[in-house]
Amino acid sequence: MKKKKNLIVVIILIIILSLIILFGKNFIMRQYFIYKIENVDYDEYILTTSLNGKKTNISYYSDDIHIFRKYDKNGNLNNVMKIYDYDKNISYEYNITNKTYIKNKSNFCEIENMNNFNLLSLLKNEEEKRKFIYKGIEQINNRECYILLFEKDKEDYKIIYLDKELLYTIREEDNYLTLDYDLDFNLQEKYLFEFEL
């Protein structure tokens, strides 16, 4: 009887160790971040994206609307806004200069969280199969960030810097480019998205 109990304990320990070896810390961390990111919801914010230190676009985002504007190569904002109205499932292109708009007939998919869209895709392996490695915490742009590495091999990798407190992507890096994200929850530049329909 005692030998049977010892055998059962040994089998349970082997199963537990096998699961730890099979899944490991990075698997557990991946599932943790998927859960956390899927439950992040910001009511309203302005997102500025920069590529290799140069602003490329700025967006206003709320539960019912997304407005997108591009910067040109000289750092000036384009006069055309793309407006996605989630309530009406309609998109527009609005020209600020002559106050005209074009209504687009095509439907579009609402992005639940613009800022963390790429990160969630990588965590779920939707884009392409990449090994996930949790690299710890580091200071980026005066914010404490989780460092998340996704790699196919040493030459093909992506690093995501995720704000520890508010759980938004601050930076994405790969072997060719760096994307920086600035989220403004105080909506200081909301005037850039004013339009008349």
Side-chain angles (χ1 to χ4, degrees), residues 41 44 66 117:
D41 186 25
E44 192 176 24
H66 168 206
F117 184 76

Side-chain angles (χ1 to χ4, degrees), residues 98-114:
N98 56 23
K99 297 183 179 178
T100 59
Y101 71 92
I102 299 167
K103 185 175 169 181
N104 296 321
K105 294 180 181 177
S106 59
N107 290 341
F108 58 90
C109 294
E110 180 177 352
I111 298 173
E112 290 182 19
N113 189 321
M114 284 190 319

Side-chain angles (χ1 to χ4, degrees), residues 16-184:
I16 291 171
L17 284 171
S18 299
L19 288 172
I20 290 171
I21 291 167
L22 179 64
F23 296 118
K25 176 183 115 181
N26 289 319
F27 174 82
I28 293 165
M29 291 303 288
R30 180 177 228 147
Q31 299 312 309
Y32 168 78
F33 284 116
I34 289 172
Y35 170 77
K36 293 294 271 183
I37 298 304
E38 283 184 329
N39 290 297
V40 167
D41 186 25
Y42 313 118
D43 293 332
E44 192 176 24
Y45 61 92
I46 293 173
L47 172 67
T48 305
T49 305
S50 301
L51 173 63
N52 296 331
K54 196 169 186 176
K55 288 182 182 179
T56 56
N57 58 67
I58 187 167
S59 292
Y60 167 77
Y61 183 81
S62 72
D63 286 339
D64 57 355
I65 198 164
H66 168 206
I67 306 170
F68 177 85
R69 292 183 71 184
K70 285 186 177 183
Y71 285 93
D72 65 20
K73 60 183 180 183
N74 298 319
N76 301 313
L77 271 173
N78 191 314
N79 287 330
V80 176
M81 287 194 279
K82 291 187 179 180
I83 303 163
Y84 302 92
D85 187 325
Y86 296 138
D87 287 341
K88 297 174 185 170
N89 197 28
I90 297 172
S91 62
Y92 306 90
E93 284 189 17
Y94 179 76
N95 189 311
I96 295 167
T97 307
N98 56 23
K99 297 183 179 178
T100 59
Y101 71 92
I102 299 167
K103 185 175 169 181
N104 296 321
K105 294 180 181 177
S106 59
N107 290 341
F108 58 90
C109 294
E110 180 177 352
I111 298 173
E112 290 182 19
N113 189 321
M114 284 190 319
N115 176 255
N116 286 331
F117 184 76
N118 291 343
L119 173 57
L120 201 53
S121 176
L122 286 165
L123 285 167
K124 290 181 171 182
N125 271 330
E126 290 173 355
E127 180 187 319
E128 48 200 53
K129 302 293 183 201
R130 290 179 178 270
K131 181 177 166 186
F132 169 78
I133 302 166
Y134 172 67
K135 303 291 279 182
I137 296 171
E138 192 178 305
Q139 283 275 92
I140 301 290
N141 298 341
N142 298 319
R143 304 290 300 177
E144 275 198 334
C145 294
Y146 296 113
I147 313 302
L148 312 176
L149 172 66
F150 301 87
E151 75 176 2
K152 277 189 166 181
D153 53 53
K154 296 295 180 196
E155 285 76 41
D156 189 358
Y157 65 88
K158 290 181 189 267
I159 301 172
I160 306 283
Y161 299 85
L162 182 69
D163 184 281
K164 185 180 175 190
E165 181 187 352
L166 298 174
L167 294 174
Y168 67 87
T169 301
I170 287 183
R171 179 177 293 163
E172 290 182 43
E173 290 177 1
D174 64 22
N175 40 341
Y176 301 108
L177 55 88
T178 300
L179 285 166
D180 284 299
Y181 302 100
D182 180 33
L183 262 74
D184 171 19

